[in-house]
Short mmCIF file of all heavy atoms in Angstrom, two decimals:
data_model
loop_
_atom_site.label_atom_id
_atom_site.label_comp_id
_atom_site.label_asym_id
_atom_site.label_seq_id
_atom_site.Cartn_x
_atom_site.Cartn_y
_atom_site.Cartn_z
N GLY V 17 -13.16 -5.22 -24.12
CA GLY V 17 -13.63 -6.17 -23.12
C GLY V 17 -12.51 -7.12 -22.71
O GLY V 17 -11.60 -7.40 -23.49
N SER V 18 -12.57 -7.60 -21.45
CA SER V 18 -11.47 -8.42 -20.93
C SER V 18 -11.94 -9.57 -20.06
O SER V 18 -11.32 -9.92 -19.07
CB SER V 18 -10.51 -7.53 -20.14
OG SER V 18 -11.19 -6.94 -19.04
N GLY V 19 -13.09 -10.15 -20.44
CA GLY V 19 -13.50 -11.41 -19.80
C GLY V 19 -12.80 -12.56 -20.52
O GLY V 19 -11.82 -12.35 -21.23
N PRO V 20 -13.28 -13.79 -20.34
CA PRO V 20 -12.66 -14.94 -20.99
C PRO V 20 -12.56 -14.78 -22.51
O PRO V 20 -11.55 -15.17 -23.11
CB PRO V 20 -13.61 -16.09 -20.63
CG PRO V 20 -14.25 -15.67 -19.35
CD PRO V 20 -14.39 -14.17 -19.42
N ALA V 21 -13.57 -14.18 -23.15
CA ALA V 21 -13.54 -14.01 -24.61
C ALA V 21 -12.46 -13.01 -25.02
O ALA V 21 -11.61 -13.30 -25.87
CB ALA V 21 -14.91 -13.56 -25.13
N GLY V 22 -12.48 -11.84 -24.41
CA GLY V 22 -11.54 -10.79 -24.79
C GLY V 22 -10.10 -11.18 -24.53
O GLY V 22 -9.21 -10.95 -25.37
N LEU V 23 -9.85 -11.82 -23.40
CA LEU V 23 -8.47 -12.16 -23.05
C LEU V 23 -7.95 -13.34 -23.86
O LEU V 23 -6.77 -13.41 -24.20
CB LEU V 23 -8.34 -12.43 -21.54
CG LEU V 23 -8.55 -11.18 -20.67
CD1 LEU V 23 -8.46 -11.54 -19.19
CD2 LEU V 23 -7.55 -10.08 -21.01
N THR V 24 -8.84 -14.29 -24.22
CA THR V 24 -8.41 -15.37 -25.10
C THR V 24 -8.08 -14.80 -26.48
O THR V 24 -7.07 -15.17 -27.10
CB THR V 24 -9.49 -16.46 -25.22
OG1 THR V 24 -9.78 -16.95 -23.91
CG2 THR V 24 -9.03 -17.62 -26.09
N ALA V 25 -8.92 -13.88 -26.96
CA ALA V 25 -8.63 -13.23 -28.24
C ALA V 25 -7.30 -12.49 -28.16
O ALA V 25 -6.53 -12.47 -29.12
CB ALA V 25 -9.77 -12.26 -28.58
N ALA V 26 -7.00 -11.91 -26.99
CA ALA V 26 -5.73 -11.19 -26.82
C ALA V 26 -4.55 -12.15 -26.90
O ALA V 26 -3.55 -11.87 -27.57
CB ALA V 26 -5.73 -10.44 -25.48
N ILE V 27 -4.67 -13.30 -26.24
CA ILE V 27 -3.58 -14.29 -26.27
C ILE V 27 -3.30 -14.74 -27.71
O ILE V 27 -2.16 -14.76 -28.17
CB ILE V 27 -3.94 -15.52 -25.39
CG1 ILE V 27 -4.00 -15.12 -23.90
CG2 ILE V 27 -2.93 -16.66 -25.60
CD1 ILE V 27 -4.63 -16.16 -22.98
N TYR V 28 -4.37 -15.05 -28.43
CA TYR V 28 -4.19 -15.56 -29.80
C TYR V 28 -3.71 -14.48 -30.78
O TYR V 28 -2.84 -14.74 -31.60
CB TYR V 28 -5.51 -16.19 -30.30
CG TYR V 28 -5.63 -17.65 -29.93
CD1 TYR V 28 -5.96 -18.05 -28.65
CD2 TYR V 28 -5.37 -18.65 -30.87
CE1 TYR V 28 -6.06 -19.38 -28.30
CE2 TYR V 28 -5.47 -19.99 -30.54
CZ TYR V 28 -5.81 -20.35 -29.26
OH TYR V 28 -5.90 -21.67 -28.93
N THR V 29 -4.28 -13.28 -30.72
CA THR V 29 -3.85 -12.24 -31.67
C THR V 29 -2.43 -11.79 -31.36
O THR V 29 -1.66 -11.44 -32.25
CB THR V 29 -4.80 -11.02 -31.65
OG1 THR V 29 -5.00 -10.59 -30.31
CG2 THR V 29 -6.13 -11.36 -32.29
N ASP V 30 -2.08 -11.83 -30.08
CA ASP V 30 -0.73 -11.54 -29.65
C ASP V 30 0.27 -12.49 -30.28
O ASP V 30 1.30 -12.10 -30.82
CB ASP V 30 -0.68 -11.81 -28.13
CG ASP V 30 -0.15 -10.62 -27.40
OD1 ASP V 30 0.53 -9.81 -28.03
OD2 ASP V 30 -0.43 -10.52 -26.20
N ARG V 31 -0.05 -13.77 -30.19
CA ARG V 31 0.84 -14.81 -30.71
C ARG V 31 0.85 -14.82 -32.22
O ARG V 31 1.70 -15.46 -32.84
CB ARG V 31 0.46 -16.17 -30.14
CG ARG V 31 0.79 -16.27 -28.64
CD ARG V 31 0.26 -17.54 -28.03
NE ARG V 31 0.67 -18.73 -28.77
CZ ARG V 31 1.83 -19.36 -28.61
NH1 ARG V 31 2.68 -18.91 -27.73
NH2 ARG V 31 2.12 -20.41 -29.33
N ALA V 32 -0.09 -14.09 -32.85
CA ALA V 32 -0.08 -13.94 -34.31
C ALA V 32 0.59 -12.61 -34.69
O ALA V 32 0.41 -12.11 -35.81
CB ALA V 32 -1.51 -13.99 -34.83
N ASN V 33 1.31 -12.01 -33.74
CA ASN V 33 2.04 -10.75 -33.96
C ASN V 33 1.14 -9.58 -34.33
O ASN V 33 1.53 -8.70 -35.08
CB ASN V 33 3.09 -10.92 -35.07
CG ASN V 33 4.27 -11.71 -34.59
OD1 ASN V 33 4.52 -11.77 -33.38
ND2 ASN V 33 5.00 -12.32 -35.51
N LEU V 34 -0.08 -9.57 -33.84
CA LEU V 34 -0.99 -8.46 -34.18
C LEU V 34 -1.00 -7.37 -33.11
O LEU V 34 -1.73 -6.40 -33.23
CB LEU V 34 -2.41 -9.01 -34.41
CG LEU V 34 -2.55 -9.91 -35.64
CD1 LEU V 34 -3.95 -10.52 -35.71
CD2 LEU V 34 -2.26 -9.13 -36.92
N HIS V 35 -0.21 -7.53 -32.06
CA HIS V 35 -0.06 -6.52 -31.00
C HIS V 35 -1.39 -5.91 -30.57
O HIS V 35 -1.63 -4.72 -30.77
CB HIS V 35 0.89 -5.41 -31.45
CG HIS V 35 2.17 -5.94 -32.01
ND1 HIS V 35 3.05 -6.67 -31.24
CD2 HIS V 35 2.68 -5.90 -33.26
CE1 HIS V 35 4.07 -7.04 -32.00
NE2 HIS V 35 3.88 -6.59 -33.22
N PRO V 36 -2.27 -6.70 -30.01
CA PRO V 36 -3.60 -6.19 -29.66
C PRO V 36 -3.57 -5.12 -28.56
O PRO V 36 -2.75 -5.19 -27.65
CB PRO V 36 -4.32 -7.44 -29.14
CG PRO V 36 -3.22 -8.32 -28.63
CD PRO V 36 -2.08 -8.11 -29.58
N LEU V 37 -4.46 -4.18 -28.71
CA LEU V 37 -4.72 -3.22 -27.63
C LEU V 37 -6.03 -3.66 -26.99
O LEU V 37 -7.05 -3.84 -27.68
CB LEU V 37 -4.87 -1.80 -28.19
CG LEU V 37 -5.45 -0.75 -27.24
CD1 LEU V 37 -4.51 -0.50 -26.05
CD2 LEU V 37 -5.72 0.56 -27.97
N VAL V 38 -6.00 -3.89 -25.67
CA VAL V 38 -7.20 -4.35 -24.97
C VAL V 38 -7.76 -3.20 -24.13
O VAL V 38 -7.09 -2.68 -23.25
CB VAL V 38 -6.89 -5.55 -24.04
CG1 VAL V 38 -8.16 -6.05 -23.37
CG2 VAL V 38 -6.22 -6.68 -24.82
N LEU V 39 -9.00 -2.79 -24.44
CA LEU V 39 -9.69 -1.82 -23.59
C LEU V 39 -10.45 -2.64 -22.56
O LEU V 39 -11.49 -3.22 -22.86
CB LEU V 39 -10.63 -0.95 -24.43
CG LEU V 39 -9.98 -0.26 -25.64
CD1 LEU V 39 -11.02 0.57 -26.39
CD2 LEU V 39 -8.82 0.64 -25.19
N GLU V 40 -9.89 -2.74 -21.36
CA GLU V 40 -10.39 -3.76 -20.43
C GLU V 40 -11.58 -3.34 -19.59
O GLU V 40 -12.12 -4.12 -18.84
CB GLU V 40 -9.26 -4.29 -19.54
CG GLU V 40 -8.64 -3.28 -18.62
CD GLU V 40 -7.57 -3.91 -17.71
OE1 GLU V 40 -7.51 -5.14 -17.60
OE2 GLU V 40 -6.82 -3.14 -17.10
N GLY V 41 -12.03 -2.09 -19.74
CA GLY V 41 -13.19 -1.65 -18.99
C GLY V 41 -12.78 -0.96 -17.70
O GLY V 41 -11.60 -0.71 -17.46
N GLU V 42 -13.76 -0.63 -16.88
CA GLU V 42 -13.53 0.10 -15.64
C GLU V 42 -14.16 -0.64 -14.46
O GLU V 42 -15.11 -1.39 -14.65
CB GLU V 42 -14.15 1.50 -15.73
CG GLU V 42 -13.42 2.39 -16.71
CD GLU V 42 -14.08 3.75 -16.86
OE1 GLU V 42 -15.12 4.00 -16.22
OE2 GLU V 42 -13.54 4.55 -17.64
N PRO V 43 -13.62 -0.41 -13.25
CA PRO V 43 -14.19 -1.10 -12.09
C PRO V 43 -15.68 -0.82 -11.92
O PRO V 43 -16.15 0.27 -12.22
CB PRO V 43 -13.42 -0.48 -10.91
CG PRO V 43 -12.15 0.03 -11.49
CD PRO V 43 -12.49 0.44 -12.88
N SER V 44 -16.42 -1.85 -11.49
CA SER V 44 -17.83 -1.68 -11.15
C SER V 44 -18.20 -2.84 -10.23
O SER V 44 -17.38 -3.71 -9.98
CB SER V 44 -18.70 -1.68 -12.41
OG SER V 44 -19.18 -2.97 -12.69
N SER V 45 -19.42 -2.85 -9.72
CA SER V 45 -19.83 -3.94 -8.85
C SER V 45 -20.99 -4.72 -9.44
O SER V 45 -21.69 -5.43 -8.74
CB SER V 45 -20.22 -3.39 -7.47
OG SER V 45 -19.09 -2.83 -6.84
N ASN V 46 -21.22 -4.57 -10.75
CA ASN V 46 -22.38 -5.26 -11.32
C ASN V 46 -22.00 -6.20 -12.46
O ASN V 46 -22.80 -6.45 -13.34
CB ASN V 46 -23.43 -4.25 -11.78
CG ASN V 46 -22.97 -3.49 -13.01
OD1 ASN V 46 -21.82 -3.60 -13.42
ND2 ASN V 46 -23.86 -2.72 -13.59
N SER V 47 -20.78 -6.70 -12.42
CA SER V 47 -20.23 -7.69 -13.35
C SER V 47 -19.82 -7.10 -14.70
O SER V 47 -19.39 -7.82 -15.57
CB SER V 47 -21.13 -8.92 -13.54
OG SER V 47 -22.28 -8.60 -14.27
N ASP V 48 -19.93 -5.79 -14.88
CA ASP V 48 -19.42 -5.14 -16.08
C ASP V 48 -18.10 -4.46 -15.71
O ASP V 48 -18.05 -3.28 -15.44
CB ASP V 48 -20.45 -4.11 -16.58
CG ASP V 48 -19.91 -3.29 -17.73
OD1 ASP V 48 -18.96 -3.75 -18.39
OD2 ASP V 48 -20.43 -2.19 -17.97
N GLN V 49 -17.02 -5.26 -15.63
CA GLN V 49 -15.75 -4.74 -15.16
C GLN V 49 -14.60 -5.55 -15.75
O GLN V 49 -14.85 -6.61 -16.31
CB GLN V 49 -15.68 -4.83 -13.64
CG GLN V 49 -15.65 -6.25 -13.12
CD GLN V 49 -16.90 -6.64 -12.41
OE1 GLN V 49 -17.36 -5.90 -11.57
NE2 GLN V 49 -17.48 -7.77 -12.76
N PRO V 50 -13.35 -5.06 -15.62
CA PRO V 50 -12.23 -5.84 -16.11
C PRO V 50 -12.29 -7.26 -15.55
O PRO V 50 -12.51 -7.45 -14.35
CB PRO V 50 -11.01 -5.09 -15.57
CG PRO V 50 -11.48 -3.68 -15.42
CD PRO V 50 -12.93 -3.79 -15.01
N GLY V 51 -12.13 -8.25 -16.43
CA GLY V 51 -12.19 -9.65 -15.98
C GLY V 51 -13.58 -10.24 -16.16
O GLY V 51 -13.74 -11.45 -16.18
N GLY V 52 -14.59 -9.38 -16.23
CA GLY V 52 -15.95 -9.85 -16.51
C GLY V 52 -16.66 -10.48 -15.33
O GLY V 52 -16.30 -10.28 -14.18
N GLN V 53 -17.69 -11.26 -15.66
CA GLN V 53 -18.58 -11.80 -14.63
C GLN V 53 -17.87 -12.68 -13.61
O GLN V 53 -18.28 -12.74 -12.46
CB GLN V 53 -19.71 -12.59 -15.30
CG GLN V 53 -20.65 -11.74 -16.12
CD GLN V 53 -21.53 -12.58 -17.02
OE1 GLN V 53 -22.05 -13.59 -16.60
NE2 GLN V 53 -21.69 -12.16 -18.25
N LEU V 54 -16.81 -13.37 -14.03
CA LEU V 54 -16.14 -14.29 -13.10
C LEU V 54 -15.48 -13.55 -11.94
O LEU V 54 -15.15 -14.16 -10.92
CB LEU V 54 -15.10 -15.15 -13.82
CG LEU V 54 -15.64 -16.29 -14.68
CD1 LEU V 54 -14.50 -17.12 -15.23
CD2 LEU V 54 -16.57 -17.19 -13.88
N MET V 55 -15.28 -12.24 -12.08
CA MET V 55 -14.65 -11.47 -11.01
C MET V 55 -15.53 -11.41 -9.76
O MET V 55 -15.07 -11.10 -8.68
CB MET V 55 -14.34 -10.05 -11.48
CG MET V 55 -13.31 -9.99 -12.58
SD MET V 55 -11.75 -10.77 -12.14
CE MET V 55 -11.07 -9.52 -11.06
N LEU V 56 -16.82 -11.68 -9.93
CA LEU V 56 -17.73 -11.61 -8.78
C LEU V 56 -18.12 -13.00 -8.29
O LEU V 56 -19.01 -13.16 -7.47
CB LEU V 56 -18.99 -10.81 -9.15
CG LEU V 56 -18.79 -9.38 -9.63
CD1 LEU V 56 -20.12 -8.67 -9.75
CD2 LEU V 56 -17.87 -8.61 -8.71
N THR V 57 -17.47 -14.04 -8.82
CA THR V 57 -17.83 -15.38 -8.39
C THR V 57 -16.77 -15.96 -7.45
O THR V 57 -15.71 -15.36 -7.27
CB THR V 57 -17.95 -16.34 -9.59
OG1 THR V 57 -16.67 -16.46 -10.19
CG2 THR V 57 -18.94 -15.82 -10.60
N THR V 58 -17.07 -17.09 -6.89
CA THR V 58 -16.09 -17.74 -6.02
C THR V 58 -15.45 -18.90 -6.79
O THR V 58 -14.70 -18.68 -7.72
CB THR V 58 -16.76 -18.26 -4.74
OG1 THR V 58 -17.90 -19.03 -5.10
CG2 THR V 58 -17.21 -17.11 -3.87
N GLU V 59 -15.78 -20.10 -6.40
CA GLU V 59 -15.14 -21.28 -6.96
C GLU V 59 -15.71 -21.62 -8.35
O GLU V 59 -16.92 -21.72 -8.50
CB GLU V 59 -15.42 -22.45 -6.02
CG GLU V 59 -14.66 -23.68 -6.32
CD GLU V 59 -13.45 -23.81 -5.41
OE1 GLU V 59 -13.58 -23.51 -4.23
OE2 GLU V 59 -12.39 -24.22 -5.92
#
Side-chain angles (χ1 to χ4, degrees):
Chain V
S18 61
L23 293 178
T24 303
I27 293 168
Y28 272 77
T29 50
D30 233 339
R31 290 173 52 84
N33 286 337
L34 294 174
H35 310 297
L37 167 65
V38 182
L39 306 180
E40 64 177 346
E42 291 177 359
S44 93
S45 295
N46 71 352
S47 71
D48 173 22
Q49 66 249 312
Q53 293 166 44
L54 284 185
M55 295 303 284
L56 302 188
T57 65
T58 51
E59 190 100 41

